[in-house]
Amino acid sequence: MQSNKLFLTPDAADKSAYIDIMTATARAVAAAMDHPRAYAGMEPYALREALHTDELLPAEGCDFAGILADVKDRILPNLLRPMSTDYMAHLHSPALLESIASELIIATFNQSMDSWDQSPAATEIEVEVIRNLCKLYGYDETLADGVFTSGGSQSNLSGLLLARDWFCNTHLKWDVKKSGLPENFRKFRMYSSEIAHFSMEKSAHLMGLGYESVVKVPVNDAMQMDIAALRELIKADVAAGNLPFCVVATVGTTDFGSIDNMQELRKLCDEYNMWLHADAAYGSGVIMSAKYAHRVAGLADCDSITVDFHKMFMLPISCSASLIKDKRNFDALTIHADYLNREEDEEDGYINLVNKSMQTTRRFDALKVWMSFRMRGAAGWSEIITRCIDNAEYFYNQLAADKSVEVFVKPEISSVVFRLLPAPDSKEDADTLNKRIRRELLHKRGVVIGQTVCRGHVCLKFTLLNPMLTYGKLDELLQLILSLR
């Protein structure tokens, strides 16, 4: 076979070129890790100018060495480093080493997860991973099912769409897949807390129901959905002739990591014949901690669950799954195409995952989970997740003991929201102070932390997803922040 210098093939020269390119890239990435800061790059305008490209498609191409040299010079130094213990701004984690290796396999073999003949071993691995995930979250693995998605927003959309179709099929005797939305669709109502993820509204829009179908429920002092308020809202909607069909339990709100009471929500959903969806994009990782798993025990009571692996599970973006308690509800997403998922394939044992996916072409993301779960094991994962949650509790207690700091909610997972109070003789108001500190940390100290609003106040936020953080490091960061006050 003649070398083509385009792809990895059985040809020795192509194998050698592949190894050379991958090795050079790995060395460049490793060499770029020459400081511990989360960000040491340019500020926005300077970075925009530095990365401006007059001609993205030159008349003649460059060799790989030249391209890599440009990447090393202009791009790598300006990338954010979520693996740094100075990074804690968002639900954006470092990536475990074995999962980075899995990405190389995924990209090289480029399987397409829609039909078995495009992803034979990959299909079977995803089926095995989903079966084990259903078991992990307390579902009956013989009745439940799931599919990998592009992220939490798509997993939420999948769960809510299945909820809508289940409600129409079961309670209205109406098939949305065949006939579209029923005439009374403007009466549909779904309920989520007032601090739930914005993908609820986006999903309502994409499903043809509109933002007005999403009823925002007040939260209590712990930032959890107020169950009593929810009951009154449902009762009012029923009295008005509206059609409640779904409640969304947030299992780890974006800012606070607060967990809605799923057991109580299940009782309410049963009373009103509603679907219960769990947006556990953040909190799904808590199940791995022997110490804290009880905090998310109610996931097994939900009809669908969003699980994100690129948050607490520390796998590369993107990696998410949508799990459902009753796999028959995936019928809402099934449609047959002669070229792709022929009905005779199913009869002969070929599994075509497009039958339960909103996407057609998908990546082999299940490999990341398969490799990292097996490599770390239950004990390793418990240690990783427990350490992150322990860190949040420790940091919250340190903040609560300092009179120059105001804390808001005791963390249930790994997010801590707080704000600094101005010194008595300061001319700076609290909002301006906290905004300034975040920017100074970012551009002068290489420390990247979050900023949000809580109860009308600008606040700072630590989202602690790095198990390498120690109590000592957290103390150092706190003293650094206080010194900028």
Side-chain angles (χ1 to χ4, degrees), residues 402-406 419-424 428 430 433-434 485:
D402 194 310
K403 293 182 180 180
S404 62
V405 177
E406 181 180 7
R419 69 171 184 148
L420 270 68
L421 303 175
E428 212 172 20
L433 169 67
N434 286 278
R485 176 168 168 262

Side-chain angles (χ1 to χ4, degrees), residues 12 235 317 324 362 429 435 437 449 467:
K235 286 170 63 177
I317 298 168
I324 61 171
R362 287 190 296 112
D429 65 75
K435 290 178 181 179
I437 286 176
I449 68 173

Side-chain angles (χ1 to χ4, degrees), residues 248-368:
V248 178
T250 304
V251 185
T253 56
T254 303
D255 279 339
F256 307 101
S258 46
I259 300 171
D260 292 339
N261 189 324
M262 290 170 278
Q263 290 92 342
E264 292 301 314
L265 292 176
R266 178 73 269 167
K267 294 176 185 176
L268 197 54
C269 286
D270 287 344
E271 184 179 341
Y272 285 93
N273 296 313
M274 299 169 67
W275 181 285
L276 178 58
H277 172 69
D279 175 12
Y282 180 4
S284 49
V286 179
I287 199 77
M288 307 296 273
S289 168
K291 182 177 179 181
Y292 295 110
H294 65 277
R295 294 185 178 178
V296 296
L299 284 169
D301 296 320
C302 300
D303 296 294
S304 53
I305 308 172
T306 287
V307 180
D308 265 12
F309 297 100
H310 52 236
K311 293 185 171 69
M312 285 202 87
F313 287 94
M314 301 168 209
L315 304 188
I317 298 168
S318 59
C319 194
S320 180
S322 176
L323 307 179
I324 61 171
K325 182 178 286 188
D326 185 344
K327 60 187 174 185
R328 291 174 297 181
N329 289 302
F330 269 134
D331 288 347
L333 296 174
T334 300
I335 185 170
H336 287 280
D338 291 337
Y339 75 95
L340 190 63
N341 57 336
R342 297 156 292 271
E343 293 190 34
E344 66 265 25
D345 282 357
E346 298 168 25
E347 296 170 1
D348 293 333
Y350 295 91
I351 298 172
N352 297 311
L353 294 178
V354 73
N355 288 343
K356 55 184 178 179
S357 174
M358 299 182 69
Q359 297 170 264
T360 305
T361 303
R362 287 190 296 112
R363 301 176 78 247
F364 180 24
D365 289 324
L367 182 64
K368 305 174 200 176

Side-chain angles (χ1 to χ4, degrees), residues 144-277:
D145 203 354
V147 67
F148 274 75
T149 72
S150 65
S153 292
Q154 188 184 75
S155 290
N156 284 333
L157 174 58
S158 179
L160 295 174
L161 185 147
L162 298 180
R164 182 203 64 187
D165 281 30
W166 164 84
F167 178 81
C168 288
N169 288 330
T170 303
H171 300 294
L172 304 182
K173 308 304 178 187
W174 184 269
D175 190 337
V176 176
K177 186 163 72 171
K178 292 181 179 178
S179 305
L181 294 174
E183 291 184 2
N184 58 353
F185 75 91
R186 288 184 176 84
K187 295 182 178 292
F188 282 26
R189 295 292 181 267
M190 53 181 277
Y191 305 83
S192 67
S193 88
E194 60 184 340
I195 56 172
H197 195 260
F198 60 80
S199 58
M200 306 314 151
E201 283 88 345
K202 277 194 172 183
S203 296
H205 170 208
L206 292 170
M207 293 191 298
L209 303 180
Y211 289 179
E212 292 179 0
S213 69
V214 183
V215 180
K216 308 302 283 187
V217 183
V219 294
N220 58 25
D221 290 341
M223 298 296 173
Q224 301 161 328
M225 188 187 294
D226 185 326
I227 305 293
L230 171 62
R231 176 177 289 278
E232 292 305 313
L233 288 167
I234 294 173
K235 286 170 63 177
D237 273 324
V238 170
N242 293 322
L243 299 171
F245 75 95
C246 180
V247 173
V248 178
T250 304
V251 185
T253 56
T254 303
D255 279 339
F256 307 101
S258 46
I259 300 171
D260 292 339
N261 189 324
M262 290 170 278
Q263 290 92 342
E264 292 301 314
L265 292 176
R266 178 73 269 167
K267 294 176 185 176
L268 197 54
C269 286
D270 287 344
E271 184 179 341
Y272 285 93
N273 296 313
M274 299 169 67
W275 181 285
L276 178 58
H277 172 69

Side-chain angles (χ1 to χ4, degrees), residues 90-96 99 137 251-254 257-259 280-289 292-293 295-296 299 306-317 319 372-373 376 380-392 411-415 463-467:
H90 300 284
L91 290 168
H92 178 193
S93 67
L96 292 167
S99 66
Y137 287 100
V251 185
T253 56
T254 303
S258 46
I259 300 171
Y282 180 4
S284 49
V286 179
I287 199 77
M288 307 296 273
S289 168
Y292 295 110
R295 294 185 178 178
V296 296
L299 284 169
T306 287
V307 180
D308 265 12
F309 297 100
H310 52 236
K311 293 185 171 69
M312 285 202 87
F313 287 94
M314 301 168 209
L315 304 188
I317 298 168
C319 194
S372 65
F373 273 34
R376 303 290 166 178
W381 272 109
S382 180
E383 181 181 358
I384 287 171
I385 301 299
T386 299
R387 189 176 302 167
C388 293
I389 302 174
D390 281 347
N391 279 340
E412 290 188 270
I413 307 181
S414 61
S415 293
T463 305
L464 302 172
L465 296 180
N466 190 334

Side-chain angles (χ1 to χ4, degrees), residues 461-473:
K461 180 177 69 168
F462 275 27
T463 305
L464 302 172
L465 296 180
N466 190 334
M468 298 304 295
L469 271 166
T470 63
Y471 293 169
K473 175 66 174 183

